[in-house]
Amino acid sequence: MKFDASWLESINESIIMESMAFKIAPLVKNPGKILLTCSNIYFQSFNNLETEPVWKIRISDISKVVRRRHLLRQVGLEIFSKYDSASFYFSFSTSTERDDFYGKLIQQDILMADDRLEEKLLQWQNGVVSNYDYLMYLNSLADRSRKDFAQYPVFPWILKDYSSSTLDLNDRNVYRDLSKPIGALNSVRLARLKSRYDEMPEPKFLYGTHYSTPGFVVYYLIRKIPECNLCLQNGRFDHSDRIFKNLRETWDNCFNSDSDVKELIPEFYEESDGAFLMNRKDIDFGVTSDGKRVHHVELPPWAQSGDEFLHKMREALESDYASSCLNEWIDLIFGYKQRGTEAQKANNVFFHLTYEGAVDLDSSANADERSSLEAQISEFGQTPKQIFTSPHPRRRLLAIPSNFPLDGAMRRESKPGGGGEEQQQQQQQQQQHAETEVETVDLTAVEKTTGEHRRSLAQSQITIDGWNKLVESSFHRGTVTDLTYSAAKNSVVSVSQDGTMRIFSAKNHYLMQIVNVSSLSLSSVCQTIENDSILIASWDNNVYWFSWDQNKVVSQFYAHDDAVTSMSCTKEVLYTGSWDSTVKLWSHAARSPSFLVRRWTGPAAERLPSYLLLFSTRRSSITIVESAAFKCAMITQFCAVAAPMATSSSGKSLLRRFNIEFQLTPALSMELAFVENLTSWRRAAQTAL
């Protein structure tokens, strides 16, 4: 069956690709034809399950496209809309078809997924990104999506106290141990499971169930989407005793039962209307064996309403205790303790078919066998894609500058009295030793999964000519080309051939931020005299303006016809040098990201003169640079000073400098000139004076 071309929006649309695909919705897999044109994506269903005969989204309305794993195979594609939180999930027959469609789609100027894991990790470590937002990011990176109940985003149980009348989030005893999987929290239960594990043939597993399955998602959301429960239970609700109805009872079951090790879903930490906790549709879920009607979810005594419950759950997730331990839970779910020997040591081993790569569905020739495997994978849980292969760094419990942008609705800052006595002592120790201690972070996993090199910070006592090396930082992927120190921010700003600018805290000795500037190498960095901005030169011929106040690149301008290789800034003028053999002077309005060419005259780069004249910023002196080989040399270094003169150098020749004192008048407004005849220019200058 081919796509019906009569549904195209315009007869002028050119068809780029057509393929068989499935449109994925919760518990629904709808087959059809997907069509990519120069302006739209269409999906024509093979049946009448869709509300419209043909679904369509304009390419201009797409914000990003993410490749996903579906049924443990790399065949999924999720498309996000610009204007709301909606996304559309498709599954292709093979990974080749999916990648082909994806490649053609992103050629239409579609934004790809934000996979800059190292940058997001640093933002989370420094408190810029909340725990909730970081976990959602990791879930997305691990191919978890709300469109696929078999791979729904997974969140941890943070609290274990659902019976007290009050909740003290400063009391560590109310928190669950995040270093252990749910199944290992109860030592008595774990002993039973390990005994069975020891007697089991290969492939062994500790837990016959999983922490995230479609059944568990529907269990939590039965009041919000009851139709999905009916779909799983053959048209009727589950037995009343097994329906989600009481938080304490659900936690107790997860803590004690050999067959229940489920974690939570994001809804428990979202400050929404709590619709999934309330039976607002007044559905008859029956009565329990003790005669009680199943209605609203019974909340813990410390929460008087659904809003209060969700607010306290979110506070617990963002607490100092959870922040200090969350990395250990990440190790279990997304990290190095997810599989292999480390998983065995951590008592974190699940049924082998829940792991990616355990079975190759494409090689299964028997249709019945393949269908059985797909049902097993779809219904009984899928372990997230492994993101990290080494221990995940801990979060730093330090307050973050107020001008840092937040990724989510809540920003976690350390509280003077939060986290209990032991936590306060730990914070005090961190603050006392902030000037001398350097944290070492292993990002081997980031290197493996994103191609970025490991970042490590280490102290050294090496002494060179009286200088003591305090910190050595190797967090750039490419050669470091330049750096500058910002006294106002007490930070070192470096640029590299990896196209990024990185900001390093000189006070606390850790990497604070990564800014992706260009796809080409960066060559030079300097700060404005006002210390409110950073200027960055790039091999893409541009100069970029980074604002400290807005904490982002706010502007750029085309500076040269070839790579900008060097740059220096005074109070009034910016000096830039380039491979095009030119030096230019630029002026800019104070505190404005918009640069203007003030004055530059000279012949084309291919016929550069033998003399370069630079007037000082204060117009009190002239520097004449003479070079016999200047015509064929590329400027590789340039340095400007506020007064009394500016100097330039060429990498291919030995320069000679002459200082000639002139008192210039305002009428002589030229600031930079290339001249062929030095004598003629001197005569003209003297006449002007």
Side-chain angles (χ1 to χ4, degrees):
M1 174 180 176
K2 290 185 66 64
F3 182 86
D4 185 356
S6 64
W7 288 102
L8 292 180
E9 186 179 76
S10 170
I11 59 174
N12 296 322
E13 279 187 88
S14 58
I15 297 177
I16 298 174
M17 181 177 176
E18 179 179 346
S19 179
M20 164 73 180
F22 295 88
K23 191 168 183 283
I24 306 298
L27 304 181
V28 177
K29 187 177 180 180
N30 195 16
K33 280 285 185 177
I34 189 169
L35 184 76
L36 173 64
T37 72
C38 58
S39 56
N40 295 288
I41 298 176
Y42 299 88
F43 179 78
Q44 184 177 16
S45 173
F46 289 165
N47 50 48
N48 59 358
L49 289 179
E50 298 291 329
T51 56
E52 299 291 338
V54 172
W55 169 89
K56 178 185 72 175
I57 184 172
R58 295 180 183 274
I59 290 178
S60 59
D61 292 342
I62 297 175
S63 63
K64 65 178 180 179
V65 183
V66 184
R67 285 177 288 189
R68 297 289 193 207
R69 183 186 70 176
H70 182 67
L71 292 178
L72 299 182
R73 300 168 63 228
Q74 291 296 333
V75 294
L77 191 71
E78 190 165 9
I79 301 170
F80 292 83
S81 171
K82 280 182 181 178
Y83 303 109
D84 50 39
S85 58
S87 68
F88 310 95
Y89 198 123
F90 296 95
S91 173
F92 292 77
S93 300
T94 66
S95 60
T96 302
E97 288 184 13
R98 189 275 308 271
D99 292 341
D100 193 17
F101 190 93
Y102 173 81
K104 289 180 169 61
L105 178 56
I106 63 173
Q107 289 177 5
Q108 313 302 313
D109 295 328
I110 299 299
L111 295 178
M112 297 171 61
D114 183 5
D115 290 331
R116 295 173 294 184
L117 174 58
E118 185 179 0
E119 180 177 354
K120 189 69 72 172
L121 188 153
L122 285 170
Q123 291 176 341
W124 172 77
Q125 273 192 286
N126 295 320
V128 178
V129 172
S130 67
N131 290 338
Y132 172 86
D133 289 320
Y134 187 59
L135 288 178
M136 285 299 294
Y137 174 79
L138 292 182
N139 271 283
S140 178
L141 207 60
D143 294 331
R144 315 292 288 190
S145 169
R146 294 185 197 251
K147 292 292 183 181
D148 186 359
F149 279 9
Q151 296 188 105
Y152 205 77
V154 56
F155 269 63
W157 287 92
I158 296 293
L159 298 173
K160 66 178 182 181
D161 184 355
Y162 298 93
S163 58
S164 299
S165 58
T166 59
L167 180 67
D168 182 7
L169 293 178
N170 292 326
D171 182 3
R172 298 177 62 132
N173 293 320
V174 304
Y175 294 95
R176 163 255 181 113
D177 186 351
L178 290 170
S179 68
K180 299 177 181 179
I182 286 289
L185 293 177
N186 186 326
S187 59
V188 176
R189 173 179 61 179
L190 180 61
R192 292 196 302 266
L193 295 175
K194 292 183 73 172
S195 177
R196 183 187 67 177
Y197 177 86
D198 293 337
E199 299 175 358
M200 192 179 296
E202 297 290 345
K204 297 183 176 184
F205 58 88
L206 265 175
Y207 314 110
T209 182
H210 203 262
Y211 50 79
S212 177
T213 70
F216 294 157
V217 175
V218 171
Y219 169 83
Y220 288 128
L221 300 179
I222 187 172
R223 291 163 180 80
K224 186 176 182 179
I225 45 174
E227 63 275 10
C228 291
N229 186 275
L230 295 175
C231 178
L232 282 182
Q233 299 291 334
N234 296 319
R236 57 186 178 183
F237 293 117
D238 198 3
H239 191 281
S240 301
D241 286 333
R242 292 193 292 268
I243 289 178
F244 177 45
K245 56 186 177 295
N246 185 294
L247 261 300
R248 180 189 55 79
E249 180 182 288
T250 300
W251 165 255
D252 288 345
N253 201 54
C254 292
F255 187 79
N256 295 301
S257 174
D258 290 2
S259 59
D260 190 355
V261 293
K262 59 178 172 287
E263 293 278 10
L264 295 181
I265 56 177
E267 282 78 358
F268 281 88
Y269 300 103
E270 296 172 347
E271 296 198 45
S272 60
D273 60 356
F276 76 102
L277 299 172
M278 310 299 292
N279 186 17
R280 293 174 178 170
K281 300 177 181 179
D282 199 26
I283 300 172
D284 183 9
F285 293 118
V287 297
T288 62
S289 56
D290 57 1
K292 292 183 179 180
R293 180 196 173 189
V294 177
H295 194 37
H296 303 311
V297 175
E298 294 182 33
L299 302 174
W302 45 258
Q304 303 305 311
S305 66
D307 290 344
E308 183 182 3
F309 169 75
L310 295 177
H311 180 73
K312 288 186 175 180
M313 290 287 285
R314 182 61 179 266
E315 280 190 322
L317 177 64
E318 305 297 338
S319 67
D320 285 343
Y321 176 81
S323 296
S324 66
C325 304
L326 191 59
N327 61 294
E328 297 186 87
W329 185 83
I330 292 173
D331 288 337
L332 295 169
I333 306 300
F334 305 105
Y336 81 111
K337 292 182 180 180
Q338 185 197 89
R339 54 175 65 197
T341 304
E342 293 297 333
Q344 296 176 16
K345 293 178 181 178
N347 300 309
N348 194 37
V349 182
F350 295 87
F351 190 62
H352 71 285
L353 287 181
T354 66
Y355 297 94
E356 184 176 3
V359 62
D360 184 4
L361 291 177
D362 293 327
S363 65
S364 179
N366 188 308
D368 292 337
E369 179 184 2
R370 175 170 180 148
S371 178
S372 175
L373 288 173
E374 287 183 347
Q376 164 74 33
I377 294 170
S378 176
E379 297 178 13
F380 293 95
Q382 298 176 38
T383 301
K385 181 175 70 177
Q386 189 175 26
I387 301 175
F388 305 98
T389 56
S390 63
H392 190 282
R394 294 183 63 184
R395 193 174 196 181
R396 301 184 182 95
L397 301 180
L398 296 173
I400 299 304
S402 59
N403 64 329
F404 270 61
L406 299 183
D407 254 23
M410 299 181 66
R411 175 155 68 96
R412 192 208 65 78
E413 293 186 0
S414 60
K415 306 174 183 60
E421 182 178 350
E422 183 175 343
Q423 190 67 36
Q424 292 180 44
Q425 293 176 355
Q426 180 183 2
Q427 292 182 24
Q428 292 173 1
Q429 291 174 359
Q430 289 178 342
Q431 293 171 0
Q432 291 171 359
H433 298 286
E435 298 291 339
T436 57
E437 290 190 351
V438 179
E439 180 181 0
T440 300
V441 180
D442 183 4
L443 286 183
T444 306
V446 177
E447 175 182 323
K448 180 175 181 180
T449 56
T450 67
E452 298 189 357
H453 288 268
R454 178 177 61 87
R455 172 175 63 93
S456 64
L457 308 177
Q459 284 182 298
S460 174
Q461 300 299 323
I462 299 176
T463 301
I464 303 176
D465 296 333
W467 290 88
N468 294 324
K469 184 172 69 174
L470 300 178
V471 179
E472 180 176 327
S473 305
S474 56
F475 40 72
H476 274 289
R477 292 176 295 168
T479 301
V480 177
T481 53
D482 197 12
L483 59 83
T484 186
Y485 173 73
S486 172
K489 302 296 181 180
N490 197 12
S491 300
V492 176
V493 181
S494 61
V495 294
S496 166
Q497 289 183 358
D498 61 13
T500 66
M501 177 182 76
R502 310 202 176 199
I503 303 171
F504 179 82
S505 172
K507 176 181 179 180
N508 297 317
H509 294 175
Y510 62 77
L511 184 61
M512 295 177 59
Q513 188 176 2
I514 302 174
V515 180
N516 286 273
V517 179
S518 173
S519 59
L520 296 182
S521 298
L522 305 181
S523 57
S524 183
V525 61
C526 65
Q527 60 182 335
T528 58
I529 297 299
E530 297 88 352
N531 289 322
D532 60 354
S533 303
I534 293 291
L535 301 172
I536 310 154
S538 173
W539 284 9
D540 63 9
N541 309 352
N542 290 302
V543 171
Y544 294 83
W545 174 292
F546 175 86
S547 169
W548 283 115
D549 292 336
Q550 300 184 48
N551 200 47
K552 65 179 181 180
V553 174
V554 294
S555 184
Q556 70 185 76
F557 70 94
Y558 188 86
H560 287 271
D561 294 329
D562 206 336
V564 184
T565 55
S566 190
M567 180 175 58
S568 187
C569 188
T570 66
K571 185 176 182 179
E572 297 177 355
V573 179
L574 170 69
Y575 304 82
T576 59
S578 168
W579 281 353
D580 64 7
S581 301
T582 65
V583 172
K584 295 185 181 182
L585 277 68
W586 308 79
S587 70
H588 64 88
R591 302 181 182 275
S592 170
S594 177
F595 280 84
L596 299 173
V597 179
R598 189 173 187 178
R599 181 83 180 195
W600 174 56
T601 60
E606 60 268 17
R607 58 184 190 89
L608 283 175
S610 300
Y611 300 96
L612 172 64
L613 306 179
L614 295 181
F615 289 76
S616 74
T617 303
R618 295 186 177 181
R619 299 185 178 183
S620 60
S621 65
I622 302 173
T623 300
I624 303 175
V625 182
E626 179 184 0
S627 170
F630 195 74
K631 294 180 181 180
C632 61
M634 292 189 300
I635 296 172
T636 57
Q637 184 181 3
F638 184 78
C639 176
V641 295
M645 67 181 65
T647 61
S648 175
S649 63
S650 173
K652 293 188 177 181
S653 63
L654 180 64
L655 303 180
R656 292 179 296 169
R657 293 182 295 177
F658 305 87
N659 296 338
I660 304 177
E661 297 297 326
F662 280 120
Q663 296 299 320
L664 301 180
T665 66
L668 191 59
S669 60
M670 181 172 59
E671 292 188 336
L672 172 63
F674 291 100
V675 295
E676 294 285 357
N677 191 304
L678 182 60
T679 303
S680 299
W681 184 87
R682 284 174 175 165
R683 188 179 303 114
Q686 290 172 351
T687 301
L689 293 173

